[in-house]
Amino acid sequence: MPKLTITTNDLLEKQDVGKLLRSYAVPAMVNMVVMALYNIVDRIFIGQGAGAMAICGLALTLPCVSLMTTIGTLTGVGVASRVSSAFTLRNIPLACKALGNALLLNVILTVALILLALYHLDTILLAFGGSEQTIPYAHNYLSIIIPGSLLTNLNFTCCNAFRAAGFSHKSMMIILTGVIVNILLDPILIFGFQLGIEGAAIATVISMAVSSALILKHFHCPANQLRLKLSDFSPHILLLVSIIGIGMAAFIMNITTSMVNIIMNRYLVNYGGDYAIGAYGIISCYSVLVATLMMGICQGMQTIVSYNFGTGNFLRTRRTLELSIQIGTLIVCTGFIIGELFAPWLISIFTSNEMLITLSTGGLRLTFLMMPLIGYQIIATSFFQSINKAPQAIIMNISRQFVFLIPALGIFSRLWGLTGIWLAIPFADLMATLITTLFLSREKWLKKAA
């Protein structure tokens, strides 16, 4: 049973910030990294077992997979806030009602998106930069993964609710079990049954089904307070509106990222062909891995910052922000050094194709040029969400994607071709960091809290 109200509040007010941040952030970081491993493991086995063109086809699916999971982000982030508030007030029925409504919303939106995506799948893949060589691989993979996204989104929503209710260890174990199943099934289905890219998709869906079974087991345990009744699924307009409102910022950010990925694919295929898309898919595995570590820190920071900012403890709020940025910067600098020094080895984990290795190695080193700055940028953006300034957070995110990255892709690609496409990414990171600094400098209370 999670600790409630006074114990939690006392910790948030008085416990050492470093220790508190570690206790909140580490489980979230583990969860985020484990979730990222689903895609990374698939790409490793597909690249080694099905060939270079298969991994290029898989890279083509990134925007579609990302779009499908935005529903899970919307309902997951939204319900986590409602469940956390309800548990703090000891209103367990409200927490259950919020989760039931979030799952109802999740199913309705995901099913609608699945039907739409499957009906227009080949058209979508062509628009995403697909070719005659890559579309068959992407189609075979997505025809299995897209229906399975219903399980993915339900798992994401439930695991967010579990963490908010104090069951962070259980949430982590559910996700970790799914990843282990995926890792075990990938070689069996890809190599043993020679199913290729379809085998990776089947392994992913089965692993999500296993995680779903563990979630159902949780709901059937009488000792757990967060249990659902049929009445919890009846629509409650105010709850649904609040869940959507809270999760909208994260939803918009994910949508913009997916849209940028589509545009990126179009430039890549025009200036580098199918192998350039495959290279970007490999590079994104490492950039996403670093970003998920940042998001784990952000999740841990948000709870501490939200509480202390709300109670007017600005000194403690500033200390949490500073420590989060310091830890985040250390992580991204480590990622930068590893990426620059060991790029060929990192790429060879995914493929043995010389052309793909060459393209990916050069692309990784160029796209990672401003990585030491992104920890600061991601954490500061999340900080504004934590102090109820979501519009600023959305502007900061959108400015990086639409104000800087997309125009830079057009200009740089014309000047330097594929190299320019890679350079557009660190350019956008640099400009986004400047915007972030501008927004933070306008928060006068931060200076007063120094």
Side-chain angles (χ1 to χ4, degrees):
M1 175 178 174
K3 296 179 179 179
L4 300 171
T5 315
I6 191 164
T7 302
T8 302
N9 291 353
D10 188 58
L11 288 173
L12 290 170
E13 289 175 357
K14 299 177 181 178
Q15 191 178 59
D16 174 72
V17 170
K19 185 177 180 181
L20 189 62
L21 183 62
R22 185 167 61 249
S23 67
Y24 276 94
V26 170
M29 291 169 72
V30 172
N31 278 338
M32 295 297 291
V33 170
V34 169
M35 286 295 290
L37 286 176
Y38 271 107
N39 289 326
I40 293 173
V41 168
D42 277 355
R43 278 156 180 73
I44 291 173
F45 282 112
I46 287 171
Q48 297 295 349
M53 197 51 65
I55 202 170
C56 294
L58 188 63
L60 184 64
T61 69
L62 282 174
C64 190
V65 172
S66 181
L67 284 170
M68 295 302 300
T69 56
T70 54
I71 304 301
T73 302
L74 173 70
T75 55
V77 171
V79 78
S81 177
R82 293 310 311 256
V83 168
S84 178
S85 299
F87 264 71
T88 300
L89 298 171
R90 299 182 185 270
N91 192 341
I92 308 304
L94 177 61
C96 295
K97 185 73 173 178
L99 179 55
N101 271 246
L103 292 175
L104 175 67
L105 178 66
N106 191 310
V107 170
I108 293 172
L109 294 179
T110 303
V111 169
L113 198 57
I114 287 171
L115 295 175
L116 185 65
L118 289 176
Y119 186 76
H120 297 286
L121 187 53
D122 285 338
T123 304
I124 290 170
L125 291 174
L126 189 62
F128 285 5
S131 68
E132 292 182 2
Q133 289 73 36
T134 56
I135 285 180
Y137 289 104
H139 185 282
N140 291 342
Y141 183 79
L142 287 176
S143 62
I144 299 170
I145 286 293
I146 287 175
S149 64
L150 180 61
L151 294 175
T152 304
N153 287 338
L154 289 174
N155 287 344
F156 192 84
T157 301
C158 288
C159 286
N160 270 271
F162 289 169
R163 283 198 299 273
F167 302 105
S168 57
H169 179 73
K170 175 166 286 188
S171 172
M172 183 176 65
M173 293 307 298
I174 288 172
I175 296 172
L176 184 59
T177 301
V179 169
I180 292 172
V181 171
N182 193 27
I183 292 172
L184 293 174
L185 288 178
D186 264 340
I188 295 173
L189 296 176
I190 294 172
F191 300 110
F193 288 90
Q194 298 183 338
L195 293 176
I197 197 167
E198 295 99 323
I202 294 170
T204 299
V205 173
I206 291 175
S207 65
M208 286 295 175
V210 170
S211 296
S212 299
L214 293 175
I215 289 171
L216 289 175
K217 182 181 178 183
H218 169 92
F219 288 137
H220 280 83
C221 180
N224 295 322
Q225 289 182 304
L226 195 62
R227 299 178 66 209
L228 298 178
K229 306 184 299 294
L230 190 60
S231 59
D232 292 327
F233 294 95
S234 61
H236 189 287
I237 299 301
L238 292 179
L239 272 179
L240 289 171
V241 169
S242 67
I243 288 169
I244 293 171
I246 294 167
M248 186 55 67
F251 175 77
I252 292 174
M253 289 180 185
N254 280 9
I255 288 288
T256 57
T257 300
S258 299
M259 297 303 294
V260 169
N261 281 338
I262 295 169
I263 296 169
M264 175 71 78
N265 278 356
R266 299 295 302 181
Y267 279 104
L268 288 169
V269 77
N270 288 338
Y271 287 92
D274 293 328
Y275 279 115
I277 291 181
Y280 182 63
I282 294 173
I283 293 166
S284 68
C285 286
Y286 290 109
S287 59
V288 165
L289 190 59
V290 174
T292 54
L293 288 169
M294 293 301 97
M295 295 309 297
I297 296 173
C298 290
Q299 287 186 19
M301 174 195 71
Q302 284 177 337
T303 303
I304 306 167
V305 166
S306 295
Y307 180 85
N308 285 283
F309 182 80
T311 57
N313 193 338
F314 299 135
L315 181 62
R316 193 167 170 85
T317 302
R318 179 189 173 99
R319 173 59 183 152
T320 305
L321 173 64
E322 290 175 338
L323 184 59
S324 299
I325 291 174
Q326 290 168 11
I327 296 171
T329 301
L330 177 62
I331 290 172
V332 294
C333 285
T334 302
F336 168 76
I337 293 170
I338 293 172
E340 296 296 329
L341 293 180
F342 303 105
W345 180 82
L346 293 173
I347 301 304
S348 66
I349 294 174
F350 291 86
T351 181
S352 58
N353 182 279
E354 290 299 327
M355 179 179 287
L356 198 49
I357 289 175
T358 301
L359 283 175
S360 302
T361 299
L364 188 147
R365 284 176 168 158
L366 291 175
T367 57
F368 273 31
L369 284 176
M370 291 298 165
M371 179 165 279
L373 301 178
I374 68 169
Y376 163 71
Q377 198 270 329
I378 291 174
I379 289 169
T381 301
S382 178
F383 175 75
F384 279 98
Q385 288 180 268
S386 305
I387 60 173
N388 297 320
K389 294 189 176 181
Q392 286 91 327
I394 293 173
I395 291 170
M396 289 159 68
N397 183 268
I398 290 178
S399 66
R400 180 197 179 274
Q401 310 281 27
F402 288 97
V403 178
F404 302 123
L405 181 55
I406 293 177
L409 285 170
I411 297 169
F412 290 10
S413 62
R414 291 181 182 179
L415 293 174
W416 303 298
L418 184 59
T419 299
I421 294 174
W422 301 137
L423 287 174
I425 295 173
F427 170 77
D429 289 334
L430 174 61
M431 298 306 296
T433 301
L434 296 177
I435 293 294
T436 299
T437 303
L438 176 64
F439 272 92
L440 280 176
S441 67
R442 296 172 64 181
E443 297 295 317
K444 304 300 182 185
W445 62 271
L446 277 174
K447 296 179 180 179
K448 294 178 181 178

